[in-house]
């Protein structure tokens, strides 16, 4: 074993000091500490076999399991079938099927509390408009909004993590409208919202309301339903940082290949594509399969969870997400002699496609354990990043500062790479604030982008307090507190603040000025 | 093949008509308003060479036939040239054919729903416009003109067939007031107002309000007298005068207050205008 590998193993071993530091931290809230201590406990186990090459790639940073822990005892992301829950209630939780709006909200709040995930908070809250619309009945708009405001504030104040996500649409409903109107008044970071846009089903008026809301409070993001709806039989939801996952299932695990680091292995394009890349990808697949096997065969989750027993999740509807990130730096590094840049030069973009084609081909040749829904295939996902990522650009995005002058070119670039990622990919665009005077303009851009093949995108107004980091939202004002060393409610503030600083996100190119 | 001198193209504009549009600004105008924000678009360059001497970036030089040529790559966008020009012109203007302009617009598909030609004054180049709009129509784009209405549109029927709408500046109603503001008479503007209303091609009517200089209330009455009940469906934009960029006796003139703007809006509402925006 090399020194780097030894250091890697050592860094990942929990010792008394790690536990002591977690326990005595002044930057973490009590709840965050409990979570940290649980991680310490989990990480003392050594149940996932690692071969030498995998350890090597972990040590270089080319493989990263995104802090999933050493012994998976819950799926990474759970996508509960809330529609079913609203119809049948839950025996385990002693909740009857709701009959009124208040009961519906109570039922959801109760269930959310029991949904596990990698962050310990639910990452998916359901299609809230469809779930609640049937219960509005005779209530006035104001009554619905008052209740919704309390509900949304409850989520924001108790879910300490903005990877949590709710969906809206594609069809316009009264609840959908009221939800957006309420959201616009709040400036909350939790939950994140995504509106599913379907060219046949979503009205322009509804979409404009969504766009105006996103310019006000950076939510909702826009999902191209036309292209995303067919990846999984039985429906999908959008969770966390733009994960497209099957409803009544979710994701077992997510490990990513960090192409930025993998490109350090060689400067030769051919050997990168034909040797280095396939080897590393196979290490990721093996590692994910070991995790899935432990989770399914040993963890006891599927046997004990009431979600499984009551049919709210189904063991056959989980998929492994295969993460890819840092394509930009990988391409730039392989072409550094020619000085070509991803996002600017067509030869660089062509190489980007070659690499992605290869990844798609190789990954689809792997067998994924316990994954009947996708015919035992891994699902590619453009991973958005970690706070510790320095100089690694999210997924297949163009690095901040390298964006093309033309917004049209940028959107076409996105479309060119989004097609590889059934399990989610997305771009973020700060928009000049005067667009609020003409939401039709942004609607035109969104529709154009979707028809050009963009899968998912989000906007925020260039001068709002709420900024999107990689996918999640953070308040500039909260980041300021964090930098002063104060404890902050949302875990993601800490992640976001670091990322904002290191990746110079304040320099993202503002569009439609 | 028709050319027009192009001052600037904005690929994704949100302020030149409905939705997202590519806006094309032509050079040269047939009037000179006291409140013009970009007076450097009023005249065509006569190649005197003054700006060539002043350009700090060496982006200007004399080319073929003693014509001033602008090197876009070298230009630092400092606007020195515009400021030293004795003639309210700019050397940073390119004569482009309708095909060339369309080539640029096509790069913005499918993200824009249409194009708007503004200026300067677009109606000085009817052949260019007709060609450009025919090309744009083939791509399913809507076509708008942003005009001062000083050229008789009725005499340009081929052009009008490919124009979806005109955003027409009314400026003032009384011809003396118009004269003082622009140096010209407004008979043609009034004729155009009536004609465009008849053929249902008014996209928007605009009045820039400068208290003491513009008879805005009389304008509203005049429009009502001319287009009658169509005021109800016609979009009216009341623009707050601002002195940025203005080079005239109005360069230090104060803007009307928000109260004055909304009083004007109230007057328009009384006259049955329904679709009113204040900018
Ligand atoms: S703006 Fe004019 S003066 Fe300034 S660099 Fe460009 S061409 Fe030269
Ligand atoms: S732009 Fe003005 S200063 Fe420059 S050459 Fe033309 S007329 Fe002279």
């Amino acid at each position: 074993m090399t020194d780097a590998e030894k250091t890697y193993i050592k860094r990942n071993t929990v010792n008394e000091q790690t536990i002591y530091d977690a326990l005595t931290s002044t930057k973490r809230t009590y709840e965050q500490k409990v979570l940290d201590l649980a991680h310490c406990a989990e990480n003392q186990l050594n149940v996932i076999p690692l071969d030498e090459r995998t350890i090597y790639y972990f040590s270089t940073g080319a493989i990263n399991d995104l802090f999933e822990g050493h012994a998976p005892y819950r799926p990474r992301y759970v996508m509960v079938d809330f529609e079913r829950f609203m119809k049948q209630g839950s025996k385990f939780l002693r909740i009857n099927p709701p009959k009124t709006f208040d009961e519906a909200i109570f039922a959801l709040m109760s269930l959310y509390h029991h949904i596990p995930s990698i962050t310990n908070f639910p990452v998916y809250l359901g299609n809230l408009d469809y779930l609640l619309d049937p219960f509005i009945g005779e209530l006035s708009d104001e009554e619905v909004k008052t209740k919704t405001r309390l509900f949304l504030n409850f989520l924001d104040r108790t879910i300490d993590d903005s990877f949590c996500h709710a969906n809206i649409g594609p069809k316009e409903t009264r609840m959908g409208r009221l939800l957006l109107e309420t959201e616009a008044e709040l400036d909350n970071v939790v939950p994140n919202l995504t509106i599913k846009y379907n060219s046949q089903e979503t009205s322009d008026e509804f979409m404009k309301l969504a766009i105006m809301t996103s310019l006000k409070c950076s939510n909702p993001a826009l999902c191209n339903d036309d292209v995303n709806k067919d990846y999984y039989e039985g429906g999908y939801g959008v969770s966390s940082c733009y994960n497209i996952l099957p409803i009544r299932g979710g994701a077992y695990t997510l490990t990513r290949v960090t192409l930025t680091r993998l490109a350090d292995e060689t400067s030769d394009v051919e050997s990168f594509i034909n040797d280095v890349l396939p080897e590393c990808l196979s290490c990721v697949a093996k590692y994910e399969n070991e995790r899935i096997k432990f989770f399914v065969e040993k963890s006891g989750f599927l046997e004990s969870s009431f979600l499984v027993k009551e049919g709210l999740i189904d063991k056959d509807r989980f998929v492994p997400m295969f993460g890819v990130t840092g394509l930009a730096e990988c391409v730039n590094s392989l072409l550094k002699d020619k000085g070509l840049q991803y996002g600017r030069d067509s030869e660089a973009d062509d190489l980007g496609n070659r690499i992605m084609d290869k990844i798609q081909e190789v990954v689809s040749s792997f067998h994924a354990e316990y994954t009947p829904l996708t015919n035992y295939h891994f699902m590619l996902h453009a991973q958005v990043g970690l706070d510790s990522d320095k100089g690694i650009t999210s997924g297949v995005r163009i690095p901040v500062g390298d964006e093309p002058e033309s917004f049209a070119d940028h959107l076409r670039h996105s479309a060119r790479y989004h097609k590889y990622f059934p399990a989610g990919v997305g771009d973020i665009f700060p928009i000049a604030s005067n667009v609020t005077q003409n939401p039709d303009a942004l609607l035109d851009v969104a529709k154009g982008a979707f028809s050009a093949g963009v899968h998912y995108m989000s906007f925020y107004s260039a001068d709002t307090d709420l900024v999107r980091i990689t996918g999640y939202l953070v308040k500039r004002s909260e980041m300021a507190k964090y930098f002063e060393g104060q404890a902050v409610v949302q875990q993601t503030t800490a992640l976001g603040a670091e990322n904002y600083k290191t990746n110079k996100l304040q320099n993202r190119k503002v569009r439609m000025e | 093949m028709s050319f027009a001198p192009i001052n600037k193209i904005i690929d994704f504009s949100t302020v030149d008509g409905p939705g997202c549009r590519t806006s094309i600004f032509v050079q040269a105008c047939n009037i000179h308003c006291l409140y013009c924000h970009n007076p450097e678009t009023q005249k065509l360059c006569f190649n005197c060479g003054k700006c060539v001497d002043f350009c700090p970036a060496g982006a200007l030089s004399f080319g073929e036939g003693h014509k001033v040529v602008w090197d876009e790559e070298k230009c630092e966008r400092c606007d020195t040239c515009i400021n030293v020009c004795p003639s309210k012109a700019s050397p940073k203007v390119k004569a482009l054919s309708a095909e060339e302009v369309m080539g640029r617009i096509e790069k913005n598909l499918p993200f824009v729903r249409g194009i708007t030609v503004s200026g300067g004054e677009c109606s000085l180049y009817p052949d260019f416009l007709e060609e450009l709009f025919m090309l744009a129509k083939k791509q399913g784009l809507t076509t708008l003109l942003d005009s001062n209405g000083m050229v008789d549109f009725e005499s340009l029927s081929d052009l009008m067939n490919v124009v979806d709408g005109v955003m027409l500046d009314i400026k003032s109603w009384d011809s003396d007031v118009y004269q003082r503001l622009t140096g010209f008479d407004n008979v043609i503007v009034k004729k155009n107002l009536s004609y465009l209303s008849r053929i249902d091609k008014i996209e928007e009517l605009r009045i820039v309000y400068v208290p003491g200089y513009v008879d805005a209330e009389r304008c509203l009455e005049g429009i009502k007298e001319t287009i009658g009940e169509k005021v109800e469906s016609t979009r009216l934009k009341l623009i707050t005068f601002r002195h940025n960029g203005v080079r005239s006796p109005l360069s230090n003139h104060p803007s009307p207050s928000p109260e004055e703007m909304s009083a004007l809006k109230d007057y328009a509402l009384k006259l049955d205008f329904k679709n009113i925006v204040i900018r």
Side-chain angles (χ1 to χ4, degrees):
Chain A
M1 218 175 261
T2 66
D3 283 351
E5 289 163 29
K6 279 186 205 138
T7 320
Y8 171 78
I9 301 265
K10 204 163 147 226
R11 205 167 13 123
N12 281 275
T13 317
V14 177
N15 56 34
E16 225 171 277
Q17 192 62 43
T18 330
I19 301 174
Y20 185 83
D21 291 346
L23 192 138
T24 54
S25 161
T26 53
K27 278 199 169 187
R28 307 283 279 167
T29 65
Y30 169 72
E31 284 192 334
Q32 289 161 356
K33 285 187 188 184
V34 173
L35 203 57
D36 292 344
L37 292 169
H39 277 143
C40 288
E42 177 188 352
N43 288 349
Q44 300 206 16
L45 297 180
N46 209 343
V47 293
I48 307 294
L50 290 171
D51 62 33
E52 227 172 273
R53 291 307 285 165
T54 308
I55 294 174
Y56 169 74
Y57 284 123
F58 266 108
S59 75
T60 65
I63 299 182
N64 189 310
D65 67 359
L66 310 159
F67 308 115
E68 230 174 64
H70 293 358
Y73 59 104
R74 56 354 207 162
R76 184 175 180 99
Y77 300 128
V78 174
M79 310 288 287
V80 167
D81 185 344
F82 291 104
E83 230 173 283
R84 185 161 192 177
F85 169 70
M86 294 305 243
K87 281 192 203 114
Q88 70 186 29
S90 164
K91 282 215 172 68
F92 180 80
L93 296 178
R94 290 175 290 119
I95 293 174
N96 292 324
K99 292 194 192 64
T100 66
F101 196 79
D102 287 343
E103 285 177 11
I105 285 184
F106 162 78
L108 286 173
M109 294 198 315
S110 308
L111 180 57
Y112 291 156
H113 186 77
H114 298 276
I115 300 173
S117 87
I118 185 65
T119 61
N120 217 35
F121 297 103
V123 290
Y124 176 68
L125 304 178
N127 238 90
L128 284 181
D129 53 346
Y130 288 10
L131 291 172
L132 293 173
D133 195 66
F135 300 100
I136 296 185
E138 305 284 283
L139 293 175
S140 72
D141 283 4
E142 262 327 299
E143 285 167 321
V144 174
K145 280 167 84 171
T146 305
K147 292 170 193 292
T148 306
R149 197 174 301 127
L150 288 171
F151 176 50
L152 291 177
N153 279 340
F154 168 81
L155 297 172
D156 184 67
R157 308 305 193 267
T158 58
I159 296 180
D160 303 355
D161 188 298
S162 48
F163 293 124
C164 165
H165 219 109
N167 296 180
I168 299 178
K171 288 204 176 79
E172 178 173 352
T173 58
R174 191 174 151 215
M175 187 63 215
R177 277 195 309 276
L178 295 172
L179 193 63
L180 287 169
E181 285 172 20
T182 315
E183 174 76 10
E185 294 163 12
L186 290 179
D187 258 12
N188 284 345
V189 292
V190 176
N192 261 299
L193 292 177
T194 285
I195 183 165
K196 295 175 175 176
Y197 174 82
N198 185 293
S199 57
Q200 306 301 313
E201 295 178 5
T202 313
S203 74
D204 282 358
E205 285 314 307
F206 193 44
M207 201 56 181
K208 268 193 276 182
L209 175 63
I211 283 171
M212 286 299 272
T213 309
S214 82
L215 291 174
K216 174 85 201 347
C217 60
S218 309
N219 255 319
L222 318 179
C223 171
N224 184 347
D225 185 60
D226 297 270
V227 295
N228 283 305
K229 69 182 185 332
D230 297 324
Y231 285 129
Y232 311 104
E233 208 191 307
Y236 76 98
V238 185
S239 78
S240 189
C241 269
Y242 315 154
N243 309 321
I244 307 283
L245 292 170
I247 296 286
R248 210 163 70 253
Y252 285 122
T253 180
L254 164 62
T255 299
R256 77 176 193 196
V257 54
T258 306
L259 297 171
T260 315
R261 299 280 172 264
L262 192 61
D264 293 340
E265 298 293 317
T266 172
S267 53
D268 179 63
V269 173
E270 296 311 314
S271 88
F272 180 80
I273 290 182
N274 297 319
D275 308 324
V276 177
L277 189 58
E279 184 195 47
C280 183
L281 296 174
S282 81
C283 289
V284 173
K286 254 188 284 170
Y287 179 68
E288 290 210 44
N289 273 335
E290 292 296 347
R291 296 187 66 87
I292 299 172
K293 276 197 279 185
F294 181 85
F295 168 73
V296 173
E297 295 166 4
K298 304 274 170 53
S299 77
F301 178 89
L302 295 169
E303 292 77 11
S304 64
S305 168
F306 77 98
L307 296 170
V308 182
K309 283 185 194 136
E310 299 189 359
L312 300 178
I313 54 176
D314 176 343
K315 70 172 176 41
D316 289 335
R317 293 185 61 82
F318 282 85
V319 300
M321 295 166 73
F322 200 112
V324 174
T325 202
L327 180 64
E329 292 81 17
C330 170
V331 166
N332 292 350
S333 133
L334 290 171
L335 294 177
K336 77 171 163 280
D337 291 345
K338 294 187 176 173
L340 298 175
Q341 257 184 334
Y342 181 75
R344 298 224 159 195
D345 300 299
S346 68
E347 194 183 329
D349 290 343
D350 289 345
L351 178 58
N353 279 110
R354 248 190 96 196
I355 293 171
M356 281 313 307
D357 286 339
K358 183 71 181 188
I359 292 176
Q360 190 174 45
E361 176 204 319
V362 172
V363 171
S364 68
S365 74
F366 297 139
H367 171 90
E369 297 287 345
Y370 297 108
T371 308
L373 187 68
T374 60
N375 207 12
Y376 303 93
H377 283 120
F378 290 90
M379 299 306 270
L380 284 176
H381 167 69
Q383 206 274 325
V384 294
L386 291 167
D387 59 313
S388 53
D389 284 345
K390 286 198 178 39
I392 300 171
T393 301
S394 293
V396 289
R397 288 182 198 158
I398 299 171
V400 172
D402 290 353
E403 301 100 330
E405 274 314 303
S406 145
F407 194 14
D409 286 346
H410 198 164
L411 290 166
R412 264 191 290 270
H413 189 276
S414 302
R416 194 168 162 175
Y417 299 92
H418 280 198
K419 63 177 183 209
Y420 295 105
F421 299 102
V425 56
D427 269 284
I428 300 173
F429 303 104
I431 299 291
S433 54
N434 65 359
V435 175
T436 45
Q437 293 172 356
N438 184 358
D440 276 294
L442 203 46
L443 178 65
D444 288 351
V445 171
K447 282 185 181 177
F450 285 168
S451 76
V454 168
H455 278 207
Y456 193 98
M457 64 201 293
S458 54
F459 302 127
Y460 63 90
S461 166
D463 44 18
T464 163
D465 189 35
L466 285 162
V467 220
R468 267 194 200 276
I469 301 300
T470 50
Y472 57 95
L473 289 174
V474 170
K475 289 189 174 187
R476 287 183 222 261
S477 48
E478 288 282 298
M479 286 197 279
K481 281 192 209 162
Y482 170 81
F483 284 128
E484 285 165 16
Q486 299 179 34
V488 283
V489 185
Q490 259 91 19
Q491 300 224 35
T492 33
T493 303
L495 301 183
E498 294 299 339
N499 198 313
Y500 191 77
K501 205 159 90 179
T502 38
N503 293 319
K504 304 193 175 64
L505 297 188
Q506 72 279 12
N507 297 338
R508 271 191 193 131
K509 194 164 178 59
V510 176
R511 297 301 188 178
M512 305 187 76
E513 276 186 302
Chain B
M1 206 176 8
S2 306
F3 290 81
I6 305 296
N7 179 292
K8 162 168 86 176
I9 294 177
I10 296 181
D11 293 303
F12 283 38
S13 167
T14 61
V15 293
D16 294 296
C20 189
R21 321 184 68 78
T22 297
S23 297
I24 299 108
F25 295 81
V26 301
Q27 180 76 12
C29 190
N30 43 6
I31 57 177
H32 32 85
C33 302
L34 291 179
Y35 55 54
C36 182
H37 281 293
N38 21 24
E40 73 279 4
T41 62
Q42 288 179 7
K43 295 271 163 50
L44 286 175
C45 165
F46 65 97
N47 301 301
C48 74
K50 186 165 179 197
C51 58
V52 177
D53 297 337
F54 278 87
C55 173
L60 299 172
S61 60
F62 282 107
E64 236 174 88
H66 199 70
K67 286 215 158 99
V68 172
V69 204
W70 171 54
D71 184 337
E72 205 171 343
E73 295 285 301
K74 281 194 191 156
C75 174
E76 288 166 357
R77 314 260 169 328
C78 67
D79 284 355
T80 305
C81 47
I82 288 167
N83 294 325
V84 300
C85 175
S87 163
K88 294 189 174 165
S90 163
K92 300 182 284 179
V93 169
K94 293 202 158 151
L96 298 178
S97 69
E99 279 90 6
E100 285 171 311
V101 173
M102 194 58 210
R104 167 86 176 257
I105 295 165
E106 271 165 6
K107 296 204 176 113
N108 300 328
L109 299 176
F111 311 106
V112 296
R113 70 168 72 170
I115 63 174
T116 300
V117 184
S118 184
E121 174 51 39
C122 60
S123 62
L124 296 176
Y125 310 98
D127 297 340
F128 167 82
L129 292 177
E130 194 187 321
E131 271 181 41
L132 177 65
F133 283 6
M134 267 163 41
L135 294 171
K137 289 262 158 203
K138 273 193 205 142
Q139 300 280 4
L141 294 167
T142 58
T143 53
L144 297 179
L145 293 178
D146 175 347
S147 171
N148 61 25
M150 288 292 285
V151 169
D152 183 8
F153 284 121
E154 200 164 3
S155 70
L156 302 173
S157 57
D158 289 343
L159 170 60
M160 292 321 289
N161 284 335
V162 285
V163 169
D164 290 319
V166 178
M167 294 185 275
L168 187 66
D169 284 350
I170 300 299
K171 298 189 193 287
S172 81
W173 199 257
D174 184 90
S175 66
D176 290 342
V177 178
Y178 199 89
Q179 182 91 31
R180 179 159 76 124
L181 201 60
T182 68
F184 293 84
D185 188 84
N186 61 348
V187 198
I188 303 288
V189 183
K190 290 177 182 171
K191 180 169 187 280
N192 276 329
L193 174 63
S194 152
Y195 166 70
L196 291 172
S197 164
R198 214 163 56 234
I199 62 167
D200 280 324
K201 292 205 172 174
I202 299 181
E203 175 63 33
E204 177 177 283
L205 296 176
R206 295 161 166 183
I207 303 170
V208 179
Y209 188 34
V210 197
Y213 275 82
V214 170
D215 54 347
E217 293 192 352
R218 180 68 197 108
C219 254
L220 295 171
E221 292 161 4
I223 294 169
K224 169 91 189 236
E225 287 156 18
T226 312
I227 70 173
E229 64 191 25
K230 283 191 181 169
V231 288
E232 289 180 24
S233 55
T234 301
R235 184 176 149 98
L236 173 70
K237 193 185 267 179
L238 303 173
I239 302 171
T240 310
F241 164 76
R242 290 187 181 85
H243 62 67
N244 329 14
V246 173
R247 285 192 255 157
S248 80
L250 290 185
S251 62
N252 278 316
H253 200 81
S255 298
S257 66
E259 292 72 32
E260 284 174 290
M261 291 309 290
S262 66
L264 188 60
K265 179 177 174 178
D266 289 343
Y267 192 67
L269 284 167
K270 253 194 231 150
L271 294 171
D272 297 331
F273 284 92
K274 296 220 150 54
N275 183 354
I276 310 169
V277 236
I278 296 180
R279 282 290 140 79

